Amino acid sequence: MLHSRLLRYIDEVARCGSIRAAGERLHVAPSAINKHVLQLEEEIGEPLFERLPRGLRPTPAGEILLAHVRRTMLEYRQVEAEIRDLKTLQGGEVIIATMTGLASGIVSASAVSFYAQHPQIQLSIRIMPAHDILAAVLGGDADLGLGFNLAPSPQLENLWEMDTSLGAVVSPRHALAGMEAIPLAHCAAYPLIFADRAMLIHGIIADTFAQAGLSAEPAFRTNSIETMKRLAAASDSIAFLSKFDIAEEYHAGQLVYRPIRDRAFSRNVLSLVRREKHGRGLACLLYAEEIMGALGALGN
């Protein structure tokens, strides 16, 4: 490591409070450690240690440098661990908790791509509501969580986030499919597919129609994203989903996504999270990077 010897000298002198004691612990001549400390103090232009009758104590400048030294040493140990993991990555399991539409689309596609590169790693995809996703990640039952409108938590690290507005999802043969953006009033003239009242997006959709002064009695109501997509693909009905929900069908030319022209739905934030300080599990990080790459490509 660059300057590793000097970093270890500074850290050990601060821990021992003595250059002699630091030399004994490091098996280095005290005179050599003292020489390096004096050279560094001269370079910085500030004393790093107070020379007291009973030993050495870091000065304010020394405390600042010491914090940097310890951060650097910690980060380097983490890098060393990751490199060791990379050499010895022979197997393991990554568990991702997510929602139905995401599982059948972006998560499945990224899982296939990841498996082609790392066939020794097993992937488990578990479907659940948003609040259960958070509980699974926080409780250690899942390594990653991917979902919409996940409640923030200080115990979660947000790896990726994007506001993914809902839009009109229709068959490519639909009369409105040729429009770049669809007025909400135009949607009301067709059979509508609504999420079940128990689903978060139901309120988002119903409130938007109400605020626009439009009557919106759905022809279909379901708690299954997969069913919404199938209904839209097979008829002239309209579902309201994000383009991440229909990633697979969109690329296959089975469904199209059109933004609403005159009235935006409220925020619908998609997040990829993991538990804070959960460790750097290389397999987990590798799969997270695969998902983020797929999400980023779809979001552009």
Side-chain angles (χ1 to χ4, degrees), residues 3-104:
H3 304 313
S4 61
R5 182 172 58 182
L6 179 56
L7 297 185
R8 288 171 56 228
Y9 289 174
I10 297 296
D11 179 55
E12 203 60 52
V13 169
R15 291 181 188 278
C16 296
S18 160
I19 288 178
R20 182 176 297 279
E24 290 176 358
R25 287 178 61 90
L26 295 172
H27 305 290
V28 176
S31 59
I33 295 177
N34 188 52
K35 176 183 177 182
H36 282 289
V37 171
L38 292 174
Q39 286 177 340
L40 185 57
E41 288 180 325
E42 184 177 351
E43 181 180 332
I44 291 175
E46 290 283 343
L48 299 176
F49 294 97
E50 292 182 61
R51 274 66 176 178
L52 304 174
R54 294 188 177 182
L56 302 181
R57 182 175 65 192
T59 64
E63 292 285 3
I64 293 172
L65 179 65
L66 190 59
H68 166 72
V69 164
R70 288 173 176 167
R71 282 197 306 270
T72 301
M73 293 175 71
L74 175 61
E75 289 171 5
Y76 183 69
R77 285 195 295 270
Q78 290 173 338
V79 168
E80 284 184 315
E82 289 182 44
I83 292 173
R84 285 195 303 272
D85 285 347
L86 189 61
K87 292 178 179 178
T88 61
L89 186 60
Q90 299 298 324
E93 179 186 23
V94 177
I95 302 171
I96 180 167
T98 189
M99 297 173 167
T100 305
L102 297 169
S104 62

Side-chain angles (χ1 to χ4, degrees), residues 101-157:
L102 297 169
S104 62
I106 199 79
V107 173
S108 294
S110 61
V112 170
S113 176
F114 181 78
Y115 180 77
Q117 302 171 65
H118 307 284
Q120 72 278 20
I121 299 172
Q122 183 182 64
L123 295 175
S124 293
I125 302 168
R126 299 180 182 173
I127 299 170
M128 56 189 72
H131 63 276
D132 288 344
I133 291 174
L134 291 175
V137 178
L138 288 171
D141 295 323
D143 301 296
L144 298 168
L146 178 68
F148 293 102
N149 303 312
L150 300 179
S153 168
Q155 296 171 281
L156 292 178
E157 179 184 1

Side-chain angles (χ1 to χ4, degrees), residues 111-272:
V112 170
S113 176
F114 181 78
Y115 180 77
Q117 302 171 65
H118 307 284
Q120 72 278 20
I121 299 172
Q122 183 182 64
L123 295 175
S124 293
I125 302 168
R126 299 180 182 173
I127 299 170
M128 56 189 72
H131 63 276
D132 288 344
I133 291 174
L134 291 175
V137 178
L138 288 171
D141 295 323
D143 301 296
L144 298 168
L146 178 68
F148 293 102
N149 303 312
L150 300 179
S153 168
Q155 296 171 281
L156 292 178
E157 179 184 1
N158 215 338
L159 299 174
W160 186 94
E161 181 178 281
M162 178 178 283
D163 187 0
T164 60
S165 299
L166 297 177
V169 170
V170 298
S171 161
R173 302 176 301 280
H174 197 285
L176 301 181
M179 303 180 70
E180 291 187 6
I182 302 175
L184 196 62
H186 283 35
C187 296
Y190 292 88
L192 301 178
I193 306 164
F194 271 27
D196 187 85
R197 293 182 185 277
M199 299 179 72
L200 184 64
I201 59 173
H202 170 84
I204 295 174
I205 298 164
D207 289 349
T208 302
F209 272 92
Q211 291 164 9
L214 296 170
S215 175
E217 187 60 36
F220 307 97
R221 196 191 303 274
T222 176
N223 64 351
S224 165
I225 299 291
E226 193 65 31
T227 301
M228 294 181 206
K229 295 190 289 185
R230 289 184 179 275
L231 288 168
S235 68
D236 64 348
S237 55
I238 301 175
F240 299 95
L241 300 166
S242 80
K243 58 184 174 180
F244 292 92
D245 288 315
I246 65 164
E248 185 178 14
E249 294 80 6
Y250 177 83
H251 286 298
Q254 298 167 350
L255 288 172
V256 297
Y257 166 94
R258 296 291 180 262
I260 300 301
R261 179 189 298 173
D262 53 342
R263 186 173 291 272
F265 290 107
S266 60
R267 294 186 78 222
N268 190 47
V269 179
L270 178 60
S271 303
L272 177 67

